[in-house]
Amino acid sequence: MSLPATVNGVPLRFFVLRCTLLLALLLGMLASVKLWLTARSFPLMPVAAWFPQLTRPWDVVVFVALLVALVVGIRFHRPAVIFFLWGALFLYCGDQNRGQPWFYLYCVLMLLSLLAEKPALAACRVVVSAVYVWAAIQKFGPDYQRLVVPYMMQPVAGWLPANLAAVAKVFLVAGPAVELFIGVGVWIPFLRRVAIITAVGVHGVALLILGPLGHDYNLVVWPWNITMALLVGVLFPPVKLGETLLALRGSWRAAGVTTLVVLLPVLSYFGRWDSYFSFALYSGNTATADLFLVPSMVSRLPEPLRRFAHPLHEDVLKNNPGLRGLSVFDMQSWSQAELGVPPIPEPRAYRVIGRTLAQYAEQPMDLQLVIQPRGGAVQVLTVEQLRAIR
């Protein structure tokens, strides 16, 4: 039984791509419902102080309308996707924490899906390939080996005997090279099939490690891993890079969007483009921050937030005895517990979180926010400095 050449007048491969993106967005947003609403304790971070915020029940109305658009988009793709993308842009401007890597990628691909089939597929192929290449580049550094590999190894070490766990660690250490192979290999005819199989394997392993059998953490990346494996399979039949570039030349819109997505991650190394828009998730190569609280400050936090304040580990105190007696506030766990996603790893996001907690301080040194940007000097902000941020 042969497959139909078209569905509702749309070439089959293009139709499957569209449906994959619609379903992936639907699942991702359902896995992070509070991220898209305004009634919550985790702070909103609009692009500007004057940007309007939706109040209840309008935030729910808009959220439901966007979900409906994703479903309707299966049959009425163009109007539904245009409506969704404008709504997504509005929601992102209301809270930059909504700029999660999966959401950004899906929206870019959905935008490209509005173009004619050939340039759209060509652009999507280049973008997905670039995701793997940039994900690999972002991991080429000591912090991936120092921070990410041990984290990924925790559940693996519990599943496998020591000798096999050592082999698994080698593959995790080689993760950047493997992702680079996928991003390049899908364009090389004799490597294409191996690259696709490798991509499926990589995402399967990631799903095991992060999923319910592993860390059971960050629910939104579970469908993302499945989606990426599907996208590689859908987008890369036997196709030549030259033919893809020729199709891009025929559409300045496709070429323009693709060029921006591929090149803008360079700016992330200078703090001029978000790490999540540069596919640096689980790379260790992002800005970090620590939020230190004195004991009296912890007791003044609202009850739901106190569980995120933890005494410093003894290993930390050995190297920093001056921090003894302080607690560290786990900003990532707060965001993950309430929104279903981590906060974007950018200094401006950490400052907003620090300013939110600073309202409970009574003394200038009740709270200190220490930010390590991707580049540049460490920043230390006190209560007064945080309160002055607008």
Side-chain angles (χ1 to χ4, degrees):
M1 180 178 176
S2 61
L3 294 174
T6 63
V7 179
N8 297 329
V10 180
L12 179 60
R13 188 175 300 276
F14 200 23
F15 179 79
V16 172
L17 171 66
R18 289 175 169 185
C19 290
T20 299
L21 294 172
L22 291 167
L23 179 59
L25 273 165
L26 183 67
L27 292 176
M29 293 181 73
L30 288 174
S32 55
V33 173
K34 272 202 168 182
L35 175 65
W36 312 100
L37 307 179
T38 55
R40 66 195 204 200
S41 64
F42 196 89
L44 295 162
M45 189 174 63
V47 294
W50 50 261
F51 194 85
Q53 295 290 353
L54 295 171
T55 57
R56 190 61 60 93
W58 296 111
D59 58 341
V60 178
V61 170
V62 169
F63 176 67
V64 172
L66 293 183
L67 296 184
V68 171
L70 293 174
V71 176
V72 172
I74 296 174
R75 182 64 180 87
F76 303 100
H77 185 77
R78 188 174 187 82
V81 168
I82 290 174
F83 173 82
F84 177 86
L85 291 176
W86 277 113
L89 179 61
F90 178 82
L91 290 182
Y92 170 74
C93 290
D95 181 14
Q96 295 170 74
N97 276 309
R98 293 163 179 158
Q100 297 291 312
W102 53 273
F103 188 70
Y104 167 71
L105 175 62
Y106 296 160
C107 285
V108 167
L109 297 178
M110 288 292 289
L111 177 64
L112 292 171
S113 77
L114 296 174
L115 303 175
E117 178 204 1
K118 286 188 177 180
L121 287 174
C124 288
R125 286 176 183 129
V126 174
V127 167
V128 169
S129 171
V131 169
Y132 287 100
V133 172
W134 272 115
I137 293 172
Q138 298 283 5
K139 291 182 177 70
F140 280 119
D143 286 336
Y144 170 76
Q145 307 296 340
R146 182 175 62 89
L147 301 173
V148 180
V149 171
Y151 175 78
M152 294 294 190
M153 276 300 299
Q154 288 174 8
V156 174
W159 298 334
L160 302 176
N163 56 339
L164 292 180
V167 175
K169 185 175 181 179
V170 171
F171 283 101
L172 287 174
V173 168
V178 172
E179 288 184 306
L180 185 60
F181 167 75
I182 295 170
V184 175
V186 290
W187 298 108
I188 302 174
F190 69 91
L191 292 178
R192 182 185 62 85
R193 187 181 299 274
V194 177
I196 293 174
I197 293 172
T198 302
V200 173
V202 165
H203 292 294
V205 171
L207 189 58
L208 278 174
I209 292 174
L210 299 173
L213 299 178
H215 283 290
D216 194 17
Y217 181 74
N218 206 357
L219 175 62
V220 291
V221 303
W222 304 359
W224 189 22
N225 277 285
I226 296 172
T227 300
M228 289 301 296
L230 289 173
L231 288 177
V232 172
V234 170
L235 288 172
F236 290 97
V239 62
K240 296 180 180 179
L241 179 59
E243 294 174 353
T244 299
L245 297 179
L246 185 62
L248 281 179
R249 287 179 58 187
S251 170
W252 65 267
R253 293 181 178 86
V257 172
T258 304
T259 301
L260 289 174
V261 174
V262 170
L263 296 183
L264 283 174
V266 174
L267 300 180
S268 68
Y269 287 89
F270 308 97
R272 300 296 182 182
W273 188 245
D274 278 9
S275 295
Y276 274 0
F277 293 170
S278 306
F279 312 108
L281 185 67
Y282 292 107
S283 69
N285 187 23
T286 59
T288 59
D290 291 303
L291 191 54
F292 297 109
L293 312 177
V294 301
S296 59
M297 173 75 181
V298 175
S299 65
R300 286 193 297 272
L301 292 176
E303 182 63 34
L305 299 188
R306 291 178 199 167
R307 64 189 176 105
F308 301 115
H310 309 289
L312 288 166
H313 196 276
E314 282 298 325
D315 290 343
V316 176
L317 295 175
K318 286 179 182 178
N319 298 323
N320 302 277
L323 299 177
R324 190 169 296 278
L326 299 181
S327 294
V328 63
F329 188 86
D330 192 342
M331 296 177 278
Q332 179 142 330
S333 290
W334 180 22
S335 177
Q336 193 75 53
E338 184 164 10
L339 307 183
V341 297
I344 62 170
E346 303 297 332
R348 67 184 187 278
Y350 298 135
R351 288 192 290 266
V352 169
I353 297 171
R355 183 185 63 188
T356 299
L357 294 190
Q359 65 182 305
Y360 303 106
E362 294 180 350
Q363 302 298 324
M365 300 305 292
D366 279 355
L367 176 152
Q368 290 186 74
L369 177 63
V370 181
I371 301 175
Q372 176 60 71
R374 286 188 64 165
V378 173
Q379 305 167 13
V380 181
L381 302 176
T382 62
V383 171
E384 292 178 351
Q385 291 170 312
L386 288 167
R387 285 175 174 172
I389 296 173
R390 293 291 181 266

